[in-house]
Amino acid sequence: MDDVVAEHLDVVFVGINPGLASAVRGHSFSTPGNRMWPALHRSGFTPHRFRPEQERDLLGLGLGITSIVRRPTARASELTAAEYVQGGVDLVRRMAALRPKWLAFLGVTGYRAAFGAADAGVGRQSAVIGGARVWVLPNPSGLNAHYPPAALAVEFARLRVATGLPDRSGLIGDGPFGQPAG
């Protein structure tokens, strides 16, 4: 599955690895239970809810998608520790060439495993990877019961506000943490 990236993007969203269904369909986050596309819209990153087939349209908004590990699996738990570490090395190399402003990791587990950041949590990290600032978001998988859709959108909006990107959705405003301004 191809990355959705270009040079000098504002934010590259970094998944753990492609799921089997997404790999077969050839589009990121294409399983019905995945909440990536609704979270991007509800948080103000996109002007409407994109479909997986529209992923390349993210580039025009300064956004991209890649993954730590490129091997598709049914579940991330099928990945080995060595695959995470090697994926992290590969990601650093790829991002150094592309120079995005921010890397937004989709899930604490993948970020911790790839970069040995055992204490990392959701939010801004002190690390810089390939010149990009780092933020960890909750995993948008429908299996992540800790973050219902509204809470997921709030976390994505915190990142959007930190990046200085405008609210493109018209749903929430540009105040702190995605709350209406004023």
Side-chain angles (χ1 to χ4, degrees):
M1 202 160 82
D2 293 335
D3 289 342
V4 178
V5 293
E7 291 183 344
H8 307 292
L9 293 174
D10 292 309
V11 181
V12 174
F13 294 94
V14 183
I16 294 173
N17 74 311
L20 293 178
S22 291
V24 167
R25 292 181 181 112
H27 299 290
S28 304
F29 307 104
S30 65
T31 57
N34 196 290
R35 301 169 301 167
M36 176 67 168
W37 302 110
L40 284 175
H41 176 54
R42 290 181 71 181
S43 65
F45 276 107
T46 61
H48 59 87
R49 181 177 170 174
F50 281 28
R51 295 182 317 276
E53 308 82 54
Q54 295 174 300
E55 64 188 358
R56 299 210 68 78
D57 293 346
L58 291 172
L59 296 172
L61 300 174
L63 308 173
I65 298 173
T66 190
S67 60
I68 298 168
V69 177
R70 293 175 172 225
R71 180 173 73 91
T73 60
R75 300 182 71 94
S77 61
E78 296 174 35
L79 299 172
T80 67
E83 283 180 295
Y84 276 110
V85 171
Q86 183 54 48
V89 169
D90 179 52
L91 181 69
V92 169
R93 180 189 53 76
R94 289 183 284 134
M95 293 305 109
L98 295 174
R99 308 290 298 169
K101 293 177 186 170
W102 290 87
L103 291 179
F105 287 84
L106 302 170
V108 172
T109 301
Y111 178 70
R112 287 177 179 167
F115 295 98
D119 295 333
V122 170
R124 186 170 183 172
Q125 308 300 306
S126 60
V128 174
I129 296 175
R133 289 171 279 187
V134 175
W135 194 283
V136 175
L137 290 165
N139 191 320
S141 166
L143 300 175
N144 185 357
H146 296 292
Y147 284 90
L152 191 63
V154 167
E155 291 299 332
F156 274 63
R158 286 180 61 223
L159 167 63
R160 183 189 56 76
V161 169
T163 66
L165 291 173
D167 173 14
R168 296 178 178 116
S169 72
L171 298 174
I172 56 177
D174 280 323
F177 307 110
Q179 301 304 313

